[in-house]
């Protein structure tokens, strides 16, 4: 599903007037987050979607640069990408260290357990806000990198491995942060963009795992908005990517694939 249609969904959801039957609503509401119960919670071993992002060396773009500024724009985008990775990783480690150090602090004025609990919760809210701000600033750098790449118009450059690898890397990190923000429409949109970049990207299991999870979240949103048409659309897309994930991750001849296929066949 393409970009303009995906962003039409959000308005359709809140303007939708078709109602689900109470039976359908009750059945599905009682089974929220079902995809999470049968899928791995982290990317597979060796996946480029792991915790550590891939940095790309600044290299010539295969002598394909006919456009004067293509090389510089690629280098500038790569710099933004590397800076975003380093900025987030160092910031996250710093916040985690302060979080651990705070556990050792003793406040003698907190005489009761409820006082200690409130202080602990307030501290955690501070750390969560810091992580949120860190992600937001990291996303801003990633978007800047995307915009630099989008300004490259030379067709040969845009088909080259360095261009596609860099754009893929930026998209991966952007998607990870949007998932952390629970911006599922953004996850869906950019995961499709990621897969459209190359057949190699489409053949990775992780994008399909993320799409299955995100479509389930949108399915639940459609239920709450009483939009029957979108509910069934999201449900079918969820099942499609659930099967594709199982095919790539487990193999079509595996017991795991057969089990997931059976669930999908029962209108999971």
């Amino acid at each position: 599903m393409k970009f303009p249609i995906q962003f039409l969904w959000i308005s359709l959801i809140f303007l939708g007037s078709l109602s689900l039957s109470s039976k359908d609503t009750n059945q599905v509401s009682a089974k929220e987050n079902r995809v999470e119960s049968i899928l791995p919670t982290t990317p597979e071993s060796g996946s480029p979607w792991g915790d550590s992002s891939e940095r790309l060396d600044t290299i010539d773009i295969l002598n394909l640069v006919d456009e004067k500024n293509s090389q510089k724009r690629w280098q500038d985008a790569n710099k933004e990408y590397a800076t975003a990775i380093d900025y987030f990783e160092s910031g996250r480690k710093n916040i985690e260290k302060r979080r651990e150090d705070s556990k050792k602090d003793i406040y003698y004025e907190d005489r009761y357990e409820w006082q200690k609990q409130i202080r602990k919760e307030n501290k955690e809210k501070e750390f969560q806000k810091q992580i949120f701000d860190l992600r937001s600033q990291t996303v801003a750098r990633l978007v800047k990198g995307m915009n630099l790449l989008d300004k490259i118009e030379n067709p040969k450059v845009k088909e080259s491995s360095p261009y596609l690898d860099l754009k893929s890397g930026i998209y991966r990190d952007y998607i990870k942060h949007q998932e952390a923000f629970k911006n599922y429409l953004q996850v869906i949109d950019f995961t499709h963009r990621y897969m459209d970049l190359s057949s190699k990207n489409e053949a990775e299991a992780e994008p399909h795992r993320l799409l299955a999870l995100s479509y389930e979240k949108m399915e639940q949103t459609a239920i709450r908005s009483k939009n029957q048409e979108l509910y069934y659309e999201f449900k079918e897309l969820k099942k499609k990517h659930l099967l594709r994930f199982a095919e790539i991750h487990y193999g079509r001849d595996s017991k795991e694939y057969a089990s997931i296929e059976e669930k999908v066949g029962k209108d999971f």
Side-chain angles (χ1 to χ4, degrees):
M1 189 159 295
K2 300 301 181 183
F3 170 70
I5 297 177
Q6 290 168 352
F7 273 80
L8 182 61
W9 287 342
I10 192 67
S11 59
L12 289 174
I13 287 172
F14 292 106
L15 293 175
S17 59
L18 293 173
S19 297
L20 290 166
S21 70
S22 59
K23 180 180 179 181
D24 284 344
T25 302
N26 291 337
Q27 284 179 343
V28 181
S29 296
K31 298 178 181 179
E32 290 193 355
N33 302 327
R34 294 168 301 171
V35 168
E36 293 178 3
S37 69
I38 63 173
L39 291 184
T41 56
T42 58
E44 59 190 343
S45 177
S47 167
W49 292 82
D51 292 335
S52 298
S53 300
E54 296 178 334
R55 292 165 178 76
L56 301 177
D57 293 332
T58 300
I59 56 178
D60 292 333
I61 306 183
L62 307 179
N63 298 318
L64 295 172
V65 185
D66 300 324
E67 181 188 344
K68 181 179 179 181
N69 293 322
S70 291
Q71 179 79 3
K72 185 177 187 306
R73 285 170 176 161
W74 186 93
Q75 291 173 341
D76 289 345
N78 189 37
K79 183 179 179 181
E80 291 294 339
Y81 177 47
T83 302
I85 293 171
D86 292 337
Y87 178 76
F88 182 75
E89 288 186 357
S90 62
R92 180 182 57 80
K93 288 177 181 177
N94 184 266
I95 292 171
E96 286 302 319
K97 184 178 184 306
R98 282 186 276 123
R99 177 184 273 142
E100 290 302 312
D101 290 343
S102 72
K103 294 177 181 178
K104 303 173 186 176
D105 294 336
I106 298 176
Y107 298 91
Y108 293 102
E109 62 270 33
D110 294 344
R111 299 175 56 192
Y112 303 104
E113 192 59 37
W114 63 266
Q115 292 175 311
K116 296 177 183 178
Q117 185 62 29
I118 289 176
R119 187 183 296 277
K120 180 181 177 181
E121 290 173 357
N122 288 339
K123 278 284 184 182
E124 183 56 29
K125 287 178 183 178
E126 289 179 21
F127 293 131
Q128 290 297 328
K129 183 181 184 304
Q130 291 168 15
I131 286 286
F132 181 91
D133 292 341
L134 181 64
R135 287 190 187 280
S136 298
Q137 293 168 36
T138 301
V139 163
R141 286 196 176 275
L142 293 171
V143 170
K144 187 175 180 180
M146 289 183 206
N147 290 336
L148 285 164
L149 287 181
D150 287 342
K151 290 178 181 178
I152 296 176
E153 298 179 355
N154 185 291
K156 291 183 179 179
V157 173
K158 294 176 77 169
E159 293 172 2
S160 68
S161 293
Y163 179 92
L164 294 173
D165 288 345
L166 178 55
K167 198 161 196 176
S168 295
I170 292 175
Y171 279 2
R172 274 195 301 270
D173 274 79
Y174 181 82
I175 292 165
K176 290 179 194 176
H177 291 297
Q178 293 302 330
E179 187 195 20
F181 285 144
K182 302 186 186 304
N183 291 337
Y184 297 112
L185 280 175
Q186 287 282 299
V187 173
I188 290 169
D189 174 36
F190 277 85
T191 303
H192 279 292
R193 293 192 192 202
Y194 176 82
M195 294 193 301
D196 287 343
L197 287 176
S198 70
S199 57
K200 180 182 74 172
N201 289 358
E202 193 282 333
E204 294 172 358
E206 182 64 7
H208 299 283
R209 186 183 78 89
L210 290 170
L211 284 172
L213 289 167
S214 297
Y215 278 126
E216 182 171 73
K217 299 295 185 183
M218 297 311 300
E219 179 187 340
Q220 293 162 9
T221 301
I223 291 171
R224 289 190 288 271
S225 300
K226 295 181 168 48
N227 192 308
Q228 187 179 38
E229 184 178 355
L230 282 179
Y231 161 65
Y232 287 115
E233 180 180 352
F234 291 137
K235 187 174 185 178
E236 290 306 309
L237 288 166
K238 174 192 72 177
K239 292 193 289 186
K240 171 187 173 181
H241 289 285
L242 186 56
L243 278 175
R244 182 65 175 137
F245 169 84
E247 178 184 7
I248 297 170
H249 187 72
Y250 298 114
R252 288 185 66 90
D253 297 330
S254 66
K255 293 180 179 179
E256 291 85 354
Y257 180 87
S259 174
I260 291 175
E261 186 179 37
E262 182 181 2
K263 287 183 172 65
V264 169
K266 293 180 179 178
D267 204 28
F268 174 82

